[in-house]
Each structure stands twice: as structure tokens, then as C-alpha cells.
Amino acid sequence: VPRNYDPALHPFEVPREYTRALNATKLERVFAKPFLSSLDGHRDGVNCMAKHPKSLSTVLSGACDGEVKIWNLTKRQCIRTIQAHEGFVRGMCARFCGTSFFTVGDDKTVKQWKMESPEYGEEEEPIHTILGKTVYTGIDHHWKEAVFATCGHQVDIWDEQRTSPMCSLTWGFDSISSVKFNPIETYLLGSCASDRNIVLYDMRKSTPLKKVILNMRTNTLCWNPMEAFVFTAANEDYNLYTFDMRFLESPVMVHMDHVSAVLDVDYSPTGKEFVSASFDKSVRIFPVDKGHSREVYHTKRMQHVITVKWSSDSKYILCGSDEMNIRLWKANASEKLGVLAPREKAAMNYNQKLKEKFQYHPQIRRIAQHRHLPKSIFCQIKEQRIMREARRRKELNRRKHSKPGSMPFVSERKKHIVAVVK
């Protein structure tokens, strides 16, 4: 359509667009209904989850009573249940080809299972079982080769064909809570230990690369699937830290919003956002380059969220929590599911551009950022704001009454790092 852009012919263009942007923002909040369904069937808290690498509709979950369930997300029902371990299922991961998956438990075993259900009359048995010397707390599979890594007392790297590890990597003497392979530089691993370390390893060397020590313990980490060097760590001090592994002296970004320990983190396949699960009974979505979350999900029944996964098509989020449920959420709360008509799609894109154009206008920003929170979280946020303000005041007073230059300014990013060891 030929169009004359002469402003004299369109005198009220900006006010008209502003009104449309305001309406679009209000409607976005009206249609924000992120919760889709809950998958119930576990008889104990959900402790870990794994995605199927080839199938979008398949997800695996392990519970605290040693039970593993495989779910079909399109039907929203459990298609198979395995009693895999005695005690907790500590970790699970699928093989890169999707034909089998591995689980580790409190009974000191690593088991490999077929992804397909057994034939009629066949027993439900693992393909391989490896009996270890200590309890394994986590497992992750290599993205291209028949190699997997477990962690516990140390990081062990195993070949699928052998019953003893190819090599064991250790640095310090504390238990290691999680281990993750890098999806791009596939020979790199990262692990979190309970002596507050994040340690990076290279599979081709028999020694660890370097480690960074934080103020408090890191529960787990997740590598960015688009940028090989970047990973995000979920910490006990309520924050998440995004690091560039080449410059560990200070994190690229500190993400603060949770009001209790962050227990799990997972990246979206686009690498632009990640989702975090916390002990404060909420799930938050953070943009990688922002310090605060863009979205918070909670329900009245949801207890401490232990594990979280972002689906491989970037549309859904799954979280497993203490009270035996796995919940399915939309990654974009107000997105319309199903087929969109061309006019709907055009209107959606137009509204999106309008919201971006006017996003810093106070009225629109207030509506877009407003979220209702449970009373407990709301009160804790208020309390922490007061504490932070008091700390800032105290520091200002100290600086005012000290010799000039004797109290250096420490940036928020460097406050939480104790040391970097190479």
C-alpha cells in the first residue's frame, strides 16, 4: 500500500499509537494465564527431570522414593513407571541419540534403561548397572560421544562400555552436587561443590582447569546453549550469577529477585533467557542480560520447587516440586496457543512493536511490570529492601567518617566472589 509519511497529514499519530500500546499492554496482562496443567502420579517429591533429546512430547522425572516416570506431554499422562533405585533418584540424563537414559541414586548405582517400554512378557530391567563405591549426586551425558560423567565424592568420567571410570577428577575434598557438559565445546564440564566452588574441567586433560570460590554454595549450573563460554550458576544466597568462563574474576551479571535459595536453573534453547526454581515456592524467568526477572510463576499449592526444565521448542516450562507434582507452564504467559489466523498474527506483531516503542513510558511500564505475589514472598521482598537500604546507609556513613580513599567502592558483581584459582 503506498503511504504518505508526511506528518502534516497524520497530526495525532503518536497519541493514537500510545493509546493502542496502552490497550495492548493491558490486554497482555488480562490474557496472562501461564499455568497449563499438572502431571500428578508421583508418590513422593519430584527430585530431578530430564528432557528427551529427539522427542518434544517426552519428559522423564525421578522422585525421592526411587521411582522414575516417563510422561507424554501431548496426552498429559504417564506412559511408563520404573522402580529404579532404593532411596532418592539423585540425577538422570538421556543419551544424545534418545534410545536410552541413565539414572543415579542413593543406593550407589548408575543404571542405564531403554527409552522404549519392554515387550509383552518382558521384565522391566536396566541394560547395565554399575555399582560404585560412594553415593552419586548427579549425572550428565556427553552431547556427541558414548561418554557420561557422574559426581559425588569426585567427578568420574565413564565410557558406556566399561564398568570402571576412564578418569577421576578431583580438586579439594568436598562432595560435588552437580556436573554439566558444555553443549557446544563438548569436552568441557562444569561442576559445583559444597565447599562453595565452581570448578571447570577439560576432558582431554587429566586435571581441572580453574575454579571460582563464591561467598555461599552453588547448587547447580547450566551452560548457555548459544554462547560456548557462558554459564549461569544458581546460588544459596538467593542470587544467580552469569559467568564468562574466560574471565571468572567477576560475573557478567548478577540476577537478584528470589527471596530464598535458588535450587535449579535451565536455559531456553534460544540462549536469550533462563528459568530458575527456588526454595521460596516460585519459578522466575530472567533475560540473560538483565538483573531482574521478567516473570514470576506461583500457585497456592506449589511447595519448594526443586527442579525446572525449559522445553526444546522454547514454548513451555516444566517444574517439579516437593508436593509430588510436575507443572506445565507457558514460557510467554499471554501467548495464544494453537493456530493463528494471518490477521491475528499481523495484529500481534503490530502490538508487540507498539509495546516495544512505548515500553519506557511510566504508565505502560507500571502495567507491564505489575505482578501479584504470595504474601510470604511480598513481605520478604519488603524486608530485604529495608536490609539492603540499611547496609547502604551504614557504608555511606563509614565512608563519610573515614580517611578519603581508605574505603574503596566494591561493585555488586565483585562483592560475592572470594577468589579465582587457576
Side-chain angles (χ1 to χ4, degrees), residues 84-270:
H85 294 276
E86 306 285 324
F88 281 45
V89 180
R90 285 290 170 192
M92 58 196 312
C93 66
R95 201 170 183 274
F96 61 90
C97 60
T99 53
S100 61
F101 65 93
F102 295 81
T103 61
V104 293
D106 275 357
D107 51 5
K108 303 183 185 179
T109 56
V110 182
K111 294 183 180 178
Q112 183 181 4
W113 305 84
K114 269 189 186 154
M115 197 66 84
E116 272 76 48
S117 305
E119 300 293 321
Y120 181 71
E122 248 187 283
E123 286 289 311
E124 183 76 86
E125 282 180 344
I127 310 170
H128 298 301
T129 304
I130 299 167
L131 193 60
K133 294 185 178 70
T134 56
V135 173
Y136 296 112
T137 54
I139 185 167
D140 198 30
H141 202 284
H142 194 283
W143 290 73
K144 289 195 174 80
E145 292 165 23
V147 170
F148 64 93
T150 58
C151 62
H153 184 59
Q154 59 198 17
V155 171
D156 293 326
I157 293 170
W158 309 74
D159 192 312
E160 282 181 17
Q161 309 302 324
R162 293 168 58 181
T163 53
S164 57
M166 293 196 295
C167 70
S168 297
L169 303 158
T170 170
W171 191 354
F173 298 97
D174 229 336
S175 60
I176 294 158
S177 57
S178 87
V179 63
K180 291 283 165 75
F181 273 101
N182 191 321
I184 304 170
E185 302 286 347
T186 49
Y187 42 78
L188 289 177
L189 304 104
S191 76
C192 312
S194 51
D195 55 356
R196 306 176 300 162
N197 294 347
I198 300 173
V199 190
L200 302 173
Y201 309 92
D202 191 330
M203 229 168 64
R204 299 164 300 182
K205 292 165 122 184
S206 54
T207 54
L209 290 174
K210 48 184 168 180
K211 70 175 172 182
V212 55
I213 306 168
L214 281 82
N215 274 334
M216 287 178 85
R217 194 182 81 196
T218 301
N219 286 315
T220 180
L221 60 87
C222 186
W223 294 92
N224 188 325
M226 286 295 167
E227 294 178 339
F229 300 107
V230 177
F231 65 89
T232 296
N235 204 286
E236 283 280 320
D237 64 359
Y238 315 171
N239 297 341
L240 293 114
Y241 301 98
T242 299
F243 283 97
D244 186 324
M245 66 169 276
R246 297 164 296 180
F247 316 107
L248 289 175
E249 286 72 28
S250 76
V252 182
M253 188 56 80
V254 180
H255 309 273
M256 323 162 78
D257 257 345
H258 281 296
V259 290
S260 195
V262 190
L263 301 181
D264 199 10
V265 59
D266 192 37
Y267 263 93
S268 112
T270 58

Side-chain angles (χ1 to χ4, degrees), residues 405-420:
S406 64
M407 281 194 69
F409 286 94
V410 183
S411 73
E412 186 63 48
R413 292 180 188 185
K414 295 208 170 158
K415 263 182 205 166
H416 310 278
I417 307 291
V418 177
V420 177

Side-chain angles (χ1 to χ4, degrees), residues 393-411:
R393 261 203 320 276
K394 186 175 181 180
E395 198 179 319
L396 279 173
N397 290 341
R398 275 206 177 146
R399 192 167 280 119
K400 203 185 288 178
H401 298 289
S402 305
K403 201 169 88 179
S406 64
M407 281 194 69
F409 286 94
V410 183
S411 73

